[in-house]
Amino acid sequence: MLNETHAADLLSWVPGADDPRGDFPVQNLPYGVFRRTGRDEAWRVGVAIGDMIVDVTAAHDAGLLGGDADVPAAACRAPSLNALMALGALDWHRLRGCLSRILRADTPEGHVASSHAEQILVARRDAEMAKPAQIGDYTDFYASVHHATNVGSMFRPDNPLLPNYKWIPIGYHGRASSIVVSGTPVRRPTGQVGTDAVTPPRVGPTQRLDYEAEVGFFVGPGNALGECIDISDAESQLFGVCLLNDWSARDMQAWEYQPLGPFLAKSFATTVSPWVVTLEALAPFRTAAFARPEGDPTPLPHLMHTSDQSTGGLDVLVEVWLRTAAMRSAGAAAERLSVGNV
């Protein structure tokens, strides 16, 4: 739900936060894990605003994040977001509200916090970022009917969309140990590539390295083994979202994916952005769920809820731009490869 943290006219005392060209205004406040570059110091949770990172632990030590925000602020001393995500939606809401008040220019809390600027702020250019969470497992969902049809047509031109796709969320478990943070070099994988059932496959580096621009969702408290989460409670489990590149070796994938799905073609790297935008921060961009075409089956009751249908979508544009080293050296502008809406 919309609240005071979403007001479009909010201003911050932090340098660069009010620049309309910036990614991190005071209305955003995404979380990440950082440390100052070249320092032998612990990784810890920070919040991006303008050109700076708020050191949540330093702000907590300065007495700026107390009261209802004390417990979630203390969880940010950990070297990942896991402890904070495990607390649940109420604590996430309390910490976001307190952070908003201490970073705004029009609040008493912001006036006090601004006097601690040197203690609690680190320039983003002086920081290095870690993977935001310790990820024990993840599920890659085949969430877009357009994407599923496009990919299916690569491997099954006569039958691109299998019948179960319209009934059940299709997904597979990926290799969590290969998830890396943005900026990590990705090595071209080597594997088997086959052409037919008679000719032996060849082994070599993939010749069809591909990207997939996706959005990753971080799950918070979770559920006990064997217990289901009702769809009416599902959203309360979602902490936030990140950008994700699901790197793919398409020639290897075409050979290995039948009958159980991708394996080495998608396990060599999955890149996630270092900043996680909370679901609460995205409240102004909520919209109705994607409308199914006429003739599509209605989801079964356990996958259908009125609030999800009315506000379960996110009106967020995702673009992919390419600018190679050669393009940079030549002074060439980036080229947009794709654009889509979540």
Side-chain angles (χ1 to χ4, degrees):
M1 295 178 64
L2 292 172
N3 55 51
E4 63 172 329
T5 69
H6 301 110
D9 59 353
L10 296 182
L11 299 175
S12 174
W13 55 265
V14 177
D18 301 328
D19 186 343
R21 298 167 298 177
D23 295 320
F24 302 121
V26 72
Q27 293 88 348
N28 189 347
L29 304 181
Y31 291 93
V33 174
F34 81 102
R35 67 182 179 189
R36 283 174 288 189
T37 305
R39 301 284 189 94
D40 185 18
E41 58 184 27
W43 295 99
R44 58 211 184 271
V45 174
V47 171
I49 180 167
D51 298 325
M52 312 298 288
I53 298 172
V54 180
D55 186 332
V56 179
T57 295
H60 192 215
D61 290 342
L64 302 173
L65 298 173
D68 287 345
D70 182 69
V71 170
C76 293
R77 296 178 183 273
S80 75
L81 289 174
N82 294 57
L84 175 63
M85 294 193 299
L87 293 176
L90 180 59
D91 279 309
W92 307 336
H93 170 72
R94 287 169 172 171
L95 182 56
R96 173 179 164 83
C98 192
L99 284 164
S100 176
R101 289 189 293 275
I102 71 169
L103 294 171
R104 280 151 51 187
D106 64 339
T107 63
E109 296 93 335
H111 178 72
V112 172
S114 65
S115 66
H116 294 272
E118 291 189 7
Q119 178 184 352
I120 68 173
L121 295 181
V122 175
R124 284 197 286 125
R125 66 176 181 273
D126 297 331
E128 57 179 325
M129 304 301 298
K131 191 164 57 177
Q134 296 301 312
I135 302 170
D137 190 20
Y138 81 97
T139 302
D140 191 324
F141 282 102
Y142 218 21
S144 164
V145 66
H146 308 292
H147 175 61
T149 303
N150 287 340
V151 174
S153 66
M154 296 169 61
F155 306 130
R156 299 180 306 276
D158 299 329
N159 185 29
L161 200 66
L162 297 176
N164 63 350
Y165 187 87
K166 295 292 183 79
W167 290 99
I168 189 172
I170 303 299
Y172 65 92
H173 286 270
R175 181 172 294 177
S177 62
S178 299
I179 297 177
V180 295
V181 72
S182 293
T184 303
V186 174
R187 299 184 65 175
R188 183 181 295 270
T190 294
Q192 285 192 26
V193 176
T195 56
D196 54 59
V198 177
T199 308
R202 65 172 178 82
V203 177
T206 179
Q207 300 301 303
R208 296 181 63 193
L209 185 63
D210 198 6
Y211 72 92
E212 289 185 358
E214 302 183 1
V215 172
F217 286 76
F218 285 84
V219 178
N223 55 313
L225 184 65
E227 292 185 4
C228 293
I229 297 173
D230 191 273
I231 190 170
S232 62
D233 297 324
E235 185 175 314
S236 67
Q237 300 287 324
L238 298 178
F239 174 74
V241 305
C242 72
L243 290 174
L244 185 148
N245 187 348
D246 182 19
W247 296 93
S248 304
R250 296 300 188 196
D251 44 2
M252 293 164 54
Q253 182 179 354
W255 174 246
E256 73 179 11
Y257 90 110
Q258 299 263 19
L260 296 178
F263 180 42
L264 297 180
K266 282 181 172 284
S267 67
F268 58 95
T270 301
T271 301
V272 295
S273 59
W275 297 109
V276 179
V277 177
T278 63
L279 205 63
E280 184 175 357
L282 292 173
F285 308 99
R286 298 299 290 267
T287 187
F290 180 75
R292 290 184 167 222
E294 186 176 349
D296 267 19
T298 300
L300 297 177
H302 72 293
L303 296 175
M304 189 76 172
H305 192 266
T306 53
S307 66
D308 181 59
Q309 292 299 302
S310 61
T311 61
L314 292 171
D315 186 6
V316 176
L317 201 66
V318 176
E319 297 177 310
V320 175
W321 292 76
L322 177 68
R323 193 173 188 223
T324 66
M327 294 168 70
R328 285 194 296 272
S329 64
E335 295 281 349
R336 189 172 74 175
L337 303 184
S338 66
V339 58
N341 194 292
V342 177

